[in-house]
């Protein structure tokens, strides 16, 4: 069997810290209500969503036309999934009443055979399952299944699981290799990982089998999408290359991550789930090779992936342009999904480091500090005036938008933040190892050897690397287990104390986790110190875009310069590789960030001719002070330029 | 009156040197015959042109369908114009017979009212002049007029001038402010400058008036293109913004060069011609302000302009990305047109310097050494693997193509090279000043004070800055005039001797021209030394793309690195701002170029982890030798990366 630990479930974890707790509160109190209004088209000035309307039309309650993307249903699904996570450990009658109402609406919109998709029910009756490549039916179903599972796990209310099980039963009939069945798969992976989740709560192995069928069929010859297309009379969407859908090769033969980044990472995530369930080491190795390709060759320092705007896709190794970085928020989220899954199989900090990197940078940049603005695209450099006119920068927004017509990212980031509790800890029953992957203050509960153990984590992360843990059990009890603390890759000199006594780390550290095996009892206290020095990060020199440049990172936070702090033409700022950056904190600034100040140079204006483009006389430099803020916090003040990778001056 | 000198006409100039003479020969012996075949669709494997076929169909000799762009006629026009220049001073019976045949064909294709355009005659009868915005009728007419004038000036054969005069007479009837006339202008400027040329050979002021009408009407409200569009039922071409056509404002109110670069520069060139003819200083100042905007804010070091692929357009000041540089060959050529026109009005080396820059770099890169391959797009950096997959680099070709479906550039560069003689010298009758703008070996004749003066120029330019001139007149004659030699902006220490005696330059130099006023007689010899040091050029720091980088230039030649000489990942090569580059010459290499060798650094492979994208440990460098070749000569060997702007390392 593939060894596997399990995430300590979200119901057993509370987040109580100064960073994430307020964000979770924001999601509960602002984002979820706001998105509910968006789904109901009651936000003045926002692009219409029409999502609830579509379900009402599908249910027969309303006569009107369908409006929205073909995958509009998934917006509601992601919202409902976020609601599920938000209710975990924090029930809320009013919100549940709304969600229960939505679930009732879903039931009324469901067809008698279990089918549930408003686009086809309303806009294309009789055409269902005729364009799996483009029409996102199984994708929407997958998100609804995830919502059903999350809501059930949070509330114990099974109704939506039952609705989605009826839909999944219908899929089991429709898809497969038997005559009369469709031997195909969805253009946008998602159903694969969703069916595994549904199997895990229902125990129905047919769902697991169907997920495996979808993963294994993909990319087999003859190509399903070609067959399907030849049978269609309507060709609404321009043809895309097979690798856009990861259908260019059977998954087991793929060695590099190709095509649409979100599609790829959802697919690989589902494949990892299947590898575990079927003890399929070969499939796991395929997924790990794809993981390595993504994270070692195709990932921005922010954890963003999918550099190409055109197909929201991966391109080639080391092609990571900063101003044209597409790096969709959803792609960052899907990388976190893959990272967390591989981490459960192998407690190697490599996975947790990426998870942390993308969480604090590429994901968090997708939402404004007030929770009301969203980035779909997360570039590492923005020159607004060029974005206004250059078509190749057309996707780059300079301010976060309220809501998108294609609103995949806002509800996705809401569900991610709401579900954050499940990424912090894992427990390995066999070895009695309790892993701490992320340093997020709060409490976690785990039953160990029959005892209820509570672990309280305290930290001011990500601003401070002093983290403490306190063990609590019922009076007089004790339990032997291993507490495994991640020593992040960014930290060069971690130190650890247990009950005040220093612990030598080297001998107890394995794959980046310091393993404290002992008999623990109430009151035991662990102090972990992860010194957060300001690091100057260089890219692998094969990343052409970043040669001669460095980025500033402190702890997990990647920094950037904004025009409002540093003036325009940020590229003209050159920093020394050996210069010091001083850490500052200002309560009122950007909701209480740590920022950096340091010395740098700019070209001396007196040394060049404004009216001349080219000169054979070298320019002189003038010293300037720069101020760097966390990347995720940019675009929360005046619009302007932004830059992550700074020219390094060795002079 | 606006003071004005005149180009010494092409018939009075021969080019006899080691650089351009062979290129002119190539145009005559290879390019013109090759393009003739292309126009006749007899080149295996090349994209079909169908140009001659279209004329044959229009003339009624052939029944078939029109094929090609709406402006396909202009390919023939540019070819015929090149033929005209090629015949200047070098008559060729066989070629003239072909050209005469073409002119006969044109005459047969002309309609009884003078109209001559195969697209409308064949494909859209009855629709002529209904879509001036998109359909290039006046643009094609303009190129045919230019061809007519060039052929007439070279051969004295007037037939095509007569054909085009009949067409222009028709235009005079059709366009204007009178009732029943079309108060409009073409979407692609070209007719404006062409009508001035036609006026100059025919003396018919109606043509000049019509040209002025076209220039003055452009951009006036109500907008003609809107009116025209409202009257069309067919909408074939997606609407473009008015500035694409320079129709966003009246020309006199334009202060920056906007929209499609070729359109803009053809328009401004025509406007300069009108400013001269009408002694219109206001219009001249407008053109000069636009010139300054282009050359001081929006021009690559190669002289390329129009950085934006999407509309082949200008964007904003200092937006000059290297890998996405569009810099169409035709745009470079049109910048030379504008430069040469302004130069005739004001003998300031600013104009000649740009003319030289674009000629030796941005224009010459458009044609392969063998004359059979063409670049439409001329980027300053190419990473082929990224171009293969990135949509934003889709226009970047890695190898020159044989011919294009939209074949504007190949015949345009052919006509430019064939006509090069007319850009070398000017003569100002009033002041008896004979200007030398370009250092291209050969002979020129000028009548001065009744004497025939011959000037022989000898040089190994652009490889060597030692240039000599010899004056020849009939025995015993002499004439007082000023010989004005351009001291190029790239040269820091020019020196000059007349008949062996050094001449102090400062006192005789005005706006970059050294003016030798004296009584000249046969045998007088001038020796100009322009030391060609290797210059390290930096960009204005507002050009974000080039901060921290330098380019190598020697004389007028901008250099680049190619992968075949320097390995891949050229951006990883860092050169010192103070390091020496040594000049080499190798006869067999790229048709006898000068190339540069120098020391540089690359990241030491041992200092970074192949499998890691980001590192907090600085990498070490290893010394390498680099070899730089002239930019224009790239892509004549194995395909691979190319780079102009190199990282500067101050270490």
């Amino acid at each position: 069997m593939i060894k596997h630990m399990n995430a300590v479930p979200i119901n057993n974890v509370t987040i109580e810290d100064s960073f994430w707790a307020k964000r979770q509160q924001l999601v509960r109190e602002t984002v979820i209500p706001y998105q509910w209004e968006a789904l109901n088209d009651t936000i003045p000035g926002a692009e219409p969503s029409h999502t609830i309307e579509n379900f009402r039309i599908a249910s027969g309650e309303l006569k009107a036309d369908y409006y929205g993307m073909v995958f509009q249903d998934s917006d509601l699904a992601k919202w409902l999934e976020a609601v599920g996570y938000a209710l975990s450990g924090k029930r809320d009658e009013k919100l549940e009443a709304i969600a229960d109402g939505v679930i009732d609406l879903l039931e009324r919109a469901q067809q008698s055979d279990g089918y549930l998709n408003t686009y086809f029910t309303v806009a294309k009756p009789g055409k269902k399952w005729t364009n799996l490549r483009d029409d996102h039916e199984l994708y929407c179903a997958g998100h609804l299944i995830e919502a059903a599972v999350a809501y059930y796990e949070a509330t114990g209310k099974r109704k939506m699981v039952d609705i989605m099980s009826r839909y999944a039963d219908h899929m089991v009939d429709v898809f497969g290799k038997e005559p009369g069945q469709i031997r195909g798969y969805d253009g946008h992976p998602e159903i694969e990982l969703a069916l595994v989740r549904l199997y895990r709560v229902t125990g129905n192995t047919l769902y697991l089998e169907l997920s495996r069928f979808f993963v294994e069929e993909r990319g087999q010859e003859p190509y399903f999408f070609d067959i399907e297309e030849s049978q269609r009379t309507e060709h609404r969407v321009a043809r895309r290359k097979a690798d856009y859908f990861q259908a260019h090769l059977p998954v087991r033969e793929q060695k590099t991550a190709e095509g649409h980044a979100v599609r790829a990472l959802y697919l690989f995530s589902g494949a990892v789930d299947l590898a575990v369930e079927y003890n399929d080491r070969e499939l796991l190795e395929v997924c790990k090779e794809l993981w390595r390709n993504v994270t070692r060759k195709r990932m921005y320092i922010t954890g963003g992936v999918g550099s190409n705007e055109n197909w929201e896709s991966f391109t080639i190794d080391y092609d990571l342009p900063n101003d044209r970085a597409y790096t969709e928020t959803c792609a960052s989220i899907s990388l976190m999904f893959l990272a967390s899954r591989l981490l459960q199989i192998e407690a190697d900090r490599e996975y947790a480091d990426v998870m942390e990197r993308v969480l604090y940078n590429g994901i968090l940049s997708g939402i404004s500090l007030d929770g009301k603005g969203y980035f779909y695209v997360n570039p590492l450099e923005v020159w607004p005036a060029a974005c206004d006119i250059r078509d190749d920068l057309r996707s780059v927004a300079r301010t976060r938008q309220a809501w998108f017509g294609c609103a995949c990212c806002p509800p996705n980031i809401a569900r991610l933040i709401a579900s954050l509790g499940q990424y912090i800890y894992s427990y390995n029953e066999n070895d009695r190892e309790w892993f701490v992957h992320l340093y997020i203050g709060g409490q976690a509960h785990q039953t160990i050897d029959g005892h209820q153990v509570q672990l309280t984590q305290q930290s001011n992360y990500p601003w401070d690397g002093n983290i403490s843990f306190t063990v609590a059990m019922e009076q007089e009890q004790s339990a032997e287990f291993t507490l495994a603390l991640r020593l992040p890759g960014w930290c060069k000199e971690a130190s650890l104390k247990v009950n005040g006594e220093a612990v030598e780390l080297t001998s107890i550290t394995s794959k980046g986790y310091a393993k404290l095996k002992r008999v623990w009892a109430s009151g035991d206290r662990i102090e972990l110190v992860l010194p957060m020095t300001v690091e100057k990060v260089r890219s692998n020199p094969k990343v052409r875009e970043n040669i001669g440049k460095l980025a500033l990172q402190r702890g997990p936070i990647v920094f950037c310069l904004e025009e409002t702090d540093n003036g325009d033409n940020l590229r003209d700022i050159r920093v020394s590789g050996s210069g010091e950056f001083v850490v500052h904190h200002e309560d009122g600034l950007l909701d209480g960030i740590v920022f950096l100040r340091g010395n740098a140079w700019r070209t001396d204006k007196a040394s060049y001719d404004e009216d001349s483009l080219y000169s054979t006389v070298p320019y002189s430099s003038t010293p300037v002070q720069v101020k760097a803020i966390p990347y995720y916090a940019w675009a929360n003040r005046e619009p302007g330029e932004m830059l992550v990778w700074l020219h390094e001056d060795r002079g």
Side-chain angles (χ1 to χ4, degrees), chain A:
Chain A
M1 286 296 289
I2 292 174
K3 258 183 71 176
H4 194 264
M5 51 188 175
N6 292 302
V8 175
I10 188 171
N11 283 328
N12 294 350
V13 178
T14 57
I15 292 178
E16 292 157 15
D17 74 345
S18 63
F19 192 84
W20 288 108
K22 65 187 174 191
R23 285 181 164 77
Q24 288 203 322
Q25 189 184 354
L26 197 67
V27 167
R28 259 196 321 274
E29 296 176 5
T30 304
V31 180
I32 287 176
Y34 178 85
Q35 294 186 343
W36 175 244
E37 286 193 41
L39 294 168
N40 284 279
D41 305 310
T42 52
I43 299 175
E47 289 185 53
S49 160
H50 213 256
T51 309
I52 293 294
E53 288 284 270
N54 291 336
F55 278 98
R56 292 185 61 217
I57 302 163
S59 73
E61 293 159 29
L62 185 73
K63 289 259 173 278
D65 289 330
Y66 182 88
Y67 174 88
M69 301 290 199
V70 292
F71 47 81
Q72 208 73 10
D73 289 3
S74 66
D75 283 1
L76 181 62
K78 286 186 224 170
W79 175 83
L80 197 55
E81 191 184 344
V83 168
Y85 299 131
L87 293 171
S88 299
K90 190 132 190 169
R91 303 290 289 270
D92 174 335
E93 255 179 55
K94 209 171 132 200
L95 183 56
E96 276 182 59
I98 294 172
D100 291 340
V102 165
I103 292 166
D104 291 343
L105 175 62
L106 289 171
E107 188 175 42
R108 294 196 301 278
Q110 186 169 36
Q111 300 196 330
S112 57
D113 60 2
Y115 185 81
L116 176 53
N117 180 295
T118 70
Y119 175 70
F120 282 92
T121 301
V122 174
K124 299 266 173 169
K127 290 281 185 187
K128 67 180 193 177
W129 311 131
T130 57
N131 189 352
L132 294 183
R133 191 189 68 187
D134 305 320
D135 283 349
H136 294 70
E137 278 162 294
L138 290 167
Y139 167 86
C140 288
H143 276 301
L144 286 167
I145 289 170
E146 288 207 90
V149 173
Y151 195 69
Y152 164 66
E153 290 180 336
T155 63
K157 294 178 183 174
R158 216 187 148 83
K159 184 173 187 175
M160 190 163 167
V161 168
D162 294 337
I163 293 170
M164 296 316 296
S165 294
R166 287 198 294 277
Y167 193 3
D169 293 340
H170 175 59
M171 291 175 211
V172 168
D173 289 342
V174 168
F175 293 95
K177 299 184 186 179
E178 299 302 314
Q181 289 186 309
I182 299 170
R183 191 165 174 172
Y185 39 88
D186 200 81
H188 196 315
E190 157 66 20
I191 189 68
E192 298 80 358
L193 67 87
L195 284 169
V196 177
R197 290 187 78 175
L198 189 60
Y199 153 74
R200 286 176 180 165
V201 295
T202 62
N204 188 336
T205 54
L206 292 175
Y207 304 156
L208 197 60
E209 286 295 310
L210 182 59
S211 173
R212 179 155 72 164
F213 166 79
F214 285 138
V215 169
E216 299 291 356
E217 274 303 309
R218 187 172 290 268
Q220 301 290 349
E221 297 185 73
Y223 292 120
F224 169 67
F225 291 152
D226 291 345
I227 296 166
E228 186 189 46
E229 184 169 47
S230 71
Q231 291 165 348
R232 273 199 303 277
T233 48
E234 187 197 354
H235 297 282
R236 193 172 34 79
V237 176
R239 189 153 176 192
R240 291 159 171 169
K241 289 202 302 186
D243 63 5
Y244 174 77
F245 310 98
Q246 297 78 47
H248 54 301
L249 279 175
V251 173
R252 288 176 194 274
E253 295 174 27
Q254 296 184 21
K255 298 194 185 303
T256 53
E258 301 299 335
H260 187 268
V262 178
R263 282 173 166 79
L265 292 164
Y266 280 9
L267 175 65
F268 305 158
S269 295
V272 173
D273 290 340
L274 289 170
V276 170
E277 296 298 338
Y278 287 103
N279 191 31
D280 188 337
R281 287 184 185 282
E282 182 193 279
L283 187 58
L284 178 62
E285 282 311 311
V286 166
C287 293
K288 283 170 77 169
E289 181 160 358
L290 291 163
W291 159 268
R292 286 190 294 265
N293 177 251
V294 172
T295 57
R296 298 180 183 184
K297 310 279 164 91
R298 302 183 176 197
M299 181 184 74
Y300 287 90
I301 191 173
T302 56
V305 288
S307 59
N308 198 359
E309 183 264 346
N310 197 245
W311 301 109
E312 306 182 318
S313 63
F314 292 103
T315 59
I316 53 173
D317 292 350
Y318 307 112
D319 176 40
L320 297 168
N322 293 312
D323 60 347
R324 286 166 289 169
Y326 191 70
T327 50
E328 185 187 341
T329 306
C330 286
S332 294
I333 292 169
S334 60
L335 180 60
M336 185 149 166
F337 292 165
L338 181 60
S340 68
R341 280 166 168 81
L342 290 168
L343 182 60
Q344 303 304 337
I345 296 170
E346 187 181 3
D348 187 323
R349 77 167 173 207
E350 173 180 349
Y351 305 111
D353 278 355
V354 169
M355 194 165 82
E356 186 180 77
R357 181 186 290 283
V358 72
L359 174 64
Y360 283 96
N361 301 289
I363 292 175
L364 201 51
S365 63
I367 185 168
S368 65
L369 295 179
D370 66 4
K372 293 181 179 175
Y374 301 91
F375 274 138
Y376 195 111
V377 170
N378 297 276
L380 282 77
E381 172 173 10
V382 173
W383 179 16
C387 298
D388 288 342
I389 194 163
R390 291 201 72 98
D391 200 66
D392 52 335
L393 301 173
R394 68 190 159 194
S395 299
V396 178
R398 278 77 79 199
T399 52
R400 292 183 182 80
Q401 288 174 260
W403 193 261
F404 307 102
C406 172
C408 53
C409 300
N412 217 355
I413 197 167
R415 70 167 176 153
L416 190 277
I417 291 173
S419 72
L420 190 60
Q422 70 189 13
Y423 295 96
I424 305 174
Y425 305 97
S426 295
Y427 185 66
N428 183 336
E429 187 73 49
N430 290 336
D431 302 332
R432 283 201 198 160
E433 289 181 327
W434 191 345
F435 288 89
V436 184
H437 306 303
L438 297 176
Y439 296 112
I440 296 175
Q443 296 189 335
H445 298 265
Q446 179 63 43
T447 306
I448 299 177
D449 194 23
H451 305 292
Q452 269 294 327
V453 184
Q454 177 185 290
L455 191 66
T456 300
Q457 181 180 167
Q458 280 193 304
S459 90
N460 190 28
Y461 210 84
W463 310 127
D464 184 297
N466 296 326
I467 302 138
S468 70
F469 296 89
T470 319
V471 176
M473 301 172 70
E474 279 186 33
Q475 215 68 45
E476 308 297 321
Q477 289 186 352
S478 67
E480 186 178 21
F481 64 91
T482 301
L483 193 62
L485 304 176
R486 171 174 151 259
L487 306 180
W490 53 258
C491 182
K492 287 171 175 164
E493 286 183 285
S495 62
L496 190 61
K497 285 182 187 168
V498 176
N499 296 328
E501 268 182 49
V503 176
E504 198 277 317
L505 281 169
T506 314
S507 60
I508 62 164
T509 301
S510 165
K511 296 183 178 175
Y513 281 82
K515 296 190 173 177
L516 297 165
K517 183 175 182 179
R518 55 183 282 161
V519 177
W520 297 96
S522 262
D524 282 343
R525 180 173 165 86
I526 302 105
E527 288 160 291
L528 175 65
V529 178
L530 305 171
M532 288 187 172
T533 50
V534 179
E535 297 291 344
K536 291 169 189 113
V537 184
R538 279 89 177 174
S539 284
N540 185 310
K542 292 185 178 176
V543 181
R544 286 155 171 77
E545 192 80 5
N546 295 338
I547 289 169
K549 298 180 186 173
L550 57 78
L552 300 170
Q553 184 174 337
R554 180 177 177 271
I557 299 288
V558 173
F559 286 77
C560 71
L561 305 190
E562 269 197 303
E563 181 175 340
T564 185
D565 297 315
N566 300 286
D568 71 352
N569 199 6
L570 296 172
R571 275 213 201 180
D572 187 35
I573 291 172
R574 280 158 282 125
V575 297
S576 162
S578 56
E580 199 190 348
F581 277 82
V582 180
V583 176
H584 292 264
H585 176 81
E586 195 180 312
D587 267 332
L589 182 64
L590 294 167
D591 213 18
I593 56 159
V594 156
F595 63 90
L596 310 177
R597 276 199 194 284
N599 294 317
W601 292 272
R602 268 186 180 275
T603 308
D604 186 350
K605 282 193 179 167
S607 73
Y608 67 91
D609 176 1
E610 280 282 341
D611 270 339
S612 179
L613 271 172
Y614 304 105
S615 166
T616 57
V617 182
Y619 307 130
S620 57
S621 294
T622 188
V624 291
Q625 271 253 319
V626 295
K627 177 175 181 178
I629 63 159
Y631 169 74
Y632 77 76
W634 90 275
N636 280 289
R637 295 174 295 170
E638 304 91 283
E641 292 184 29
M642 184 276 291
L643 187 68
V644 170
W645 288 96
L646 313 175
H647 277 288
E648 178 171 355
D649 199 316
R650 291 160 189 247

